[in-house]
Amino acid sequence: MNWARNLTFSAARVHRPGSVGELRQIVRNGTQVRAVGSGHSFSPIADTVGDLIRLDGLPRIVEIDRVNSMVTVSAGMHYADIAPEINRAGFALANLAALPHVSVAGACATGTHGSGDTQRCLAAAVAGIQWIGPDGNLNELQKAADPEVFAGSVVALGALGIVTRLTLEIEPAFDLRQRVRQGISLDDVANRFAEIFSAAYSASVFTDWHSGTAMVWLKQRTDQPTVHLQVGEPLSRPVHPTPGISPEACTQQLGVVGPWHERLPHFRAESPMWTGNELQSEYFLPRDQAGPAFSAIREIADLLAPILLVAEVRTVRADDLWLSPAYGRDSVTFHFTWIKNTVKVLPILQVVEERLSRFSARPHWGKITAMTPSDVTAHYQRADGFKNLLRTYDPDGKFRNQFIENHFPDVR
């Protein structure tokens, strides 16, 4: 099962190889092969009826290239594992997801992101990939050597091969302080959107849409000028994004300075990744449509209230990765954490998507959606180019599953 236990995998066999050599043999002998990361996806993107491979048994590698400011890591490692080692070497990743327990390869393959006006999705930090092709042989691709093909091969949904290593861009380590302000009206969020989201290196707005109010989490770098946001009221105690839940698992707030990897995520790396009693959806919209999109969702707030646990709004800088939901446009993301009841959620989800469709919303590859696969891929200008990569790297479809076939049909 996945993290949320809303999916049961169909795999005939599950493997946890202890070496790249063993992994190559599994791939070479398999007919249908998929890799699974931390299992945090809510969609069936990693499922297969053949061989499902867990990568967390591979040797753990964190190799720092100080000269070129790069780090090479094992694909199955989690950000919670690699971040402290990168920090001890005096470096940092530019951004992290809300949850540090996700695997590096899985997060990059699905376009997972953090938040920040100047920050791209996590996959945009990838500078090199090593993966196993359908014949079991190792392949490598470098961004500097072949940027065009590379742009189509990073957010690849696991469909081009089994990734074994990733090389990521890093920068000098930095510290942040995290503060939370509450009681902000949604009118202020919509009307002062640019001001609020530019007030910190990373900013997130949490709301239930129904109350008409929100709180904003501000993660400010200590080596950058401090912006004093004058909306709402500062909180004097730690909080959890979801009302009624203890903040014990959350990263430290109240302006206490800490290293980048202990402040960028919302949740502590040392807190257990419990089984999620929830469902999640998320949509990337053009950033300049944030105001109208706010109005569109607020109009159905009463409809959302019975099934919505919490919603989060973030910003993501544009990138050039073909299947990244932020491809070619600075984005605002609308995230919804629902009760774990698919029967109740899906009809409401259809209403949400009808509202957001006018803004060319792209759903997160790893979340649930009611959109048809053809409607999803219609929002990606390079979808046909990705089909060509499928034909080139996996002509017989060893790494495809029903999810890939539905979104990219007629490849063979």
Side-chain angles (χ1 to χ4, degrees):
M1 285 188 168
N2 63 337
W3 176 80
R5 296 185 180 272
N6 68 305
L7 295 172
T8 300
F9 290 106
S10 307
R13 293 161 297 277
V14 179
H15 307 269
R16 188 172 182 262
S19 69
V20 173
E22 183 183 352
L23 173 56
R24 291 177 63 185
Q25 189 66 34
I26 294 169
V27 172
R28 184 180 295 114
N29 294 339
T31 302
Q32 289 184 292
V33 183
R34 294 288 289 176
V36 63
S38 62
H40 194 71
S41 289
F42 294 78
S43 73
I45 188 170
D47 199 15
T48 180
V49 296
D51 294 283
L52 188 68
I53 299 175
R54 291 177 52 188
L55 299 176
D56 58 350
L58 295 178
R60 297 160 67 91
I61 297 171
V62 181
E63 298 176 347
I64 305 289
D65 178 350
R66 295 179 175 276
V67 174
N68 297 302
S69 295
M70 303 281 188
V71 60
T72 298
V73 302
S74 297
M77 293 182 71
H78 296 177
Y79 282 94
D81 300 321
I82 70 170
E85 294 195 40
I86 294 171
N87 184 66
R88 281 193 290 271
F91 290 95
L93 295 167
N95 211 353
L96 291 171
L99 192 70
H101 307 81
V102 295
S103 72
V104 179
C108 291
T110 56
T112 295
H113 61 99
S115 187
D117 284 357
T118 62
Q119 300 308 307
R120 301 171 298 170
C121 71
L122 303 187
V126 178
I129 311 170
Q130 181 190 80
W131 79 97
I132 298 172
D135 54 5
N137 292 332
L138 282 172
N139 301 281
E140 292 193 5
L141 192 62
Q142 303 296 323
K143 181 179 180 179
D146 195 345
E148 173 69 9
V149 172
F150 191 86
S153 305
V154 182
V155 182
L157 316 181
L160 300 182
I162 305 300
V163 176
T164 54
R165 292 188 183 189
L166 290 166
T167 298
L168 310 174
E169 297 169 347
I170 53 179
E171 62 183 77
F174 56 88
D175 291 334
L176 299 104
R177 54 172 60 90
Q178 180 172 219
R179 294 188 174 95
V180 180
R181 299 185 71 88
Q182 68 174 346
I184 305 169
S185 74
L186 288 179
D187 286 335
D188 274 345
V189 177
N191 295 332
R192 302 171 65 177
F193 188 88
E195 176 187 356
I196 289 171
F197 279 89
S198 65
Y201 180 76
S202 175
S204 293
V205 166
F206 290 97
T207 183
D208 61 6
W209 290 109
H210 182 260
S211 66
T213 62
M215 62 178 175
V216 58
W217 291 36
L218 302 165
K219 304 169 191 282
Q220 297 174 317
R221 286 180 61 148
T222 58
D223 59 351
Q224 295 178 351
T226 299
V227 177
H228 298 284
L229 187 63
Q230 301 299 316
V231 292
E233 298 294 333
L235 275 175
S236 58
R237 55 179 177 78
V239 292
H240 191 282
T242 306
I245 297 181
S246 168
E248 182 179 0
C250 296
T251 48
Q252 194 155 9
Q253 301 162 26
L254 306 180
V256 178
V257 174
W260 58 277
H261 66 289
E262 294 181 1
R263 295 295 181 274
L264 281 174
H266 296 329
F267 300 101
R268 298 176 186 265
E270 63 270 22
S271 64
M273 196 176 80
W274 62 94
T275 299
N277 190 28
E278 60 191 52
L279 298 174
Q280 294 181 9
S281 302
E282 186 172 34
Y283 305 91
F284 289 63
L285 288 63
R287 168 155 179 171
D288 59 10
Q289 296 300 306
F294 258 76
S295 298
I297 297 301
R298 293 187 69 183
E299 288 170 0
I300 56 171
D302 290 346
L303 192 63
L304 305 181
I307 63 168
L308 183 65
L309 296 176
V310 71
E312 181 178 9
V313 180
R314 291 180 280 183
T315 56
V316 183
R317 181 182 158 200
D319 60 57
D320 64 350
L321 305 178
W322 296 359
L323 295 187
S324 166
Y327 173 79
R329 65 191 195 191
D330 291 337
S331 300
V332 54
T333 70
F334 284 69
H335 185 282
F336 302 87
T337 299
W338 312 103
I339 62 172
K340 190 179 170 182
N341 188 319
T342 304
V343 173
K344 290 184 178 180
V345 169
L346 281 181
I348 307 304
L349 195 55
Q350 290 177 322
V351 178
V352 170
E353 291 178 347
E354 288 171 2
R355 291 272 168 163
L356 297 181
S357 64
R358 71 190 73 165
F359 309 111
S360 300
R362 297 169 178 162
H364 189 302
W365 293 107
K367 313 291 186 181
I368 64 170
T369 176
M371 292 173 65
T372 66
S374 60
D375 284 342
V376 173
T377 51
H379 292 298
Y380 290 89
Q381 299 95 311
R382 302 304 299 269
D384 286 340
F386 185 71
K387 283 187 178 183
N388 289 333
L389 291 182
L390 291 175
R391 295 185 184 101
T392 299
Y393 287 108
D394 187 24
D396 296 324
K398 178 175 284 192
F399 302 113
R400 285 170 230 161
N401 60 1
Q402 196 59 58
F403 184 93
I404 300 300
E405 296 283 3
N406 288 343
H407 286 83
F408 302 94
D410 306 320
V411 172
R412 295 186 188 127

